[in-house]
Amino acid sequence: MSATRIPSALASATDTRAIEIGRGILDKTGAVFKEQTGARLGIVVADETTYGIAGKQVEQALRTAGIELAEPLIFPAQPPLYAGYENVTVIRERLEATGATACSVGSGTLSDLTKLASGELGRLYVHVCTAASMDGYSAFGASIAKDGFKITRNCPAPVGIIADLDVMATAPQRMLANGYGDIMEKFPGGADWIIADALGVEPIEPHAWDLVQSPLKEAMGDPAALRDGDPEVFERFVEIVMLSGLAIQAHQTSRPGSGVGHNFSHQW
């Protein structure tokens, strides 16, 4: 996969301005947060597990960059945090009460909850990824349940993303499997778009299509090596995770990243 794809994708993104992917890069969080949000007061949003894995290091990186910190908002590890609107309310109320800008640390659920809470307040935020479990980190919109229905609610993507491969590689295998399934859906999702284009319903937009479909086979081509933790294969996979979300930003719909499979996943 070309190393130039992320910068090119960022150039067409509407919300995200910086993505750092690499090993041992949690210490870059402070600089990204400071440069991209302009905030002087931050707050780490995590759960007990992700705070222990990366949250404390993230706080140190923020302090080193001169960011003052409010008391962190840490959800219990058990029961697992649910992407319900009630938890969006918890985060939004803490952000309102402190006046702080969020730096969330976690996987998909924490990312989506903080995304919508920050979006409702019109605030920028930064996210630190802890698993390659889905492509929504860099996508606008958050999948949140309310009144028994889970739908994607419009809100901006994070202005900055830190993807420390050493941290993400420690996530449980089932989370990586979830991410693999999420990215695998790009194949039938692409077929859906071809059909929509042929029927005159929704034309294919070449740039958004290329961001996802061109590197897809390479990123997905060695699942055994991905499972076994091959560093280069894992990095390629994390890159396609980010590219998919950036394509969604560029197109301003979820079409580049999913088709009917997205709807099925919500219903299931």
Side-chain angles (χ1 to χ4, degrees):
M1 184 182 297
S2 171
T4 64
R5 286 191 180 275
I6 292 290
S8 173
L10 284 171
S12 60
T14 56
D15 306 318
T16 305
R17 298 197 291 262
I19 294 179
E20 295 284 351
I21 301 175
R23 293 177 174 81
I25 60 168
L26 288 182
D27 60 353
K28 292 188 176 183
T29 307
V32 170
F33 185 92
K34 185 175 183 178
E35 292 168 7
Q36 301 303 333
T37 70
R40 296 183 178 181
L41 178 63
I43 181 172
V44 167
V45 181
D47 64 26
E48 290 171 335
T49 300
T50 62
Y51 186 73
I53 291 170
K56 293 178 182 179
Q57 291 173 266
V58 167
E59 285 187 323
Q60 183 57 51
L62 291 168
R63 290 192 183 97
T64 299
I67 305 300
E68 294 184 31
L69 292 178
E71 188 72 19
L73 174 54
I74 305 174
F75 290 91
Q78 295 296 331
L81 186 62
Y82 182 61
Y85 190 76
E86 66 277 6
N87 289 322
V88 173
T89 301
V90 171
I91 297 173
R92 187 188 66 246
E93 289 180 349
R94 179 68 70 87
L95 295 178
E96 284 184 303
T98 60
T101 296
C103 182
S104 47
V105 181
S107 57
T109 298
L110 272 159
S111 171
D112 277 0
L113 292 170
T114 307
K115 187 184 299 184
L116 185 53
S118 296
E120 289 182 345
L121 294 173
R123 293 186 191 176
L124 303 174
Y125 81 104
V126 167
H127 184 74
V128 178
C129 310
T130 59
S133 54
M134 53 101 213
D135 69 347
Y137 292 123
S138 54
F140 81 93
S143 296
I144 301 294
K146 185 177 182 181
D147 300 326
F149 295 94
K150 192 172 189 180
I151 63 172
T152 299
R153 303 170 192 276
N154 286 338
C155 49
V159 69
I161 297 172
I162 305 295
D164 188 314
L165 299 171
D166 291 337
V167 172
M168 298 174 77
T170 66
Q173 279 281 326
R174 61 177 177 77
M175 298 187 76
L176 180 58
N178 288 343
Y180 194 87
D182 196 23
I183 300 302
M184 188 164 59
E185 203 272 328
K186 312 310 173 198
F187 291 108
D192 286 349
W193 202 356
I194 291 172
I195 294 169
D197 179 79
L199 294 175
V201 174
E202 188 171 356
I204 290 175
E205 196 287 304
H207 175 64
W209 172 273
D210 182 65
L211 286 178
V212 176
Q213 295 296 329
S214 291
L216 188 55
K217 287 185 178 180
E218 181 184 1
M220 302 291 285
D222 198 342
L226 181 64
R227 177 200 62 204
D228 294 340
D230 182 284
E232 291 185 8
V233 174
F234 185 66
E235 184 169 1
R236 287 200 298 269
F237 182 74
V238 171
E239 287 179 355
I240 189 65
V241 165
M242 297 302 164
L243 287 170
S244 179
L246 291 172
I248 290 170
Q249 281 191 52
H251 196 255
Q252 284 295 286
T253 77
S254 62
R255 173 63 80 178
S258 63
V260 71
H262 197 184
N263 185 53
F264 275 123
S265 71
H266 280 237
Q267 305 313 316
W268 287 333

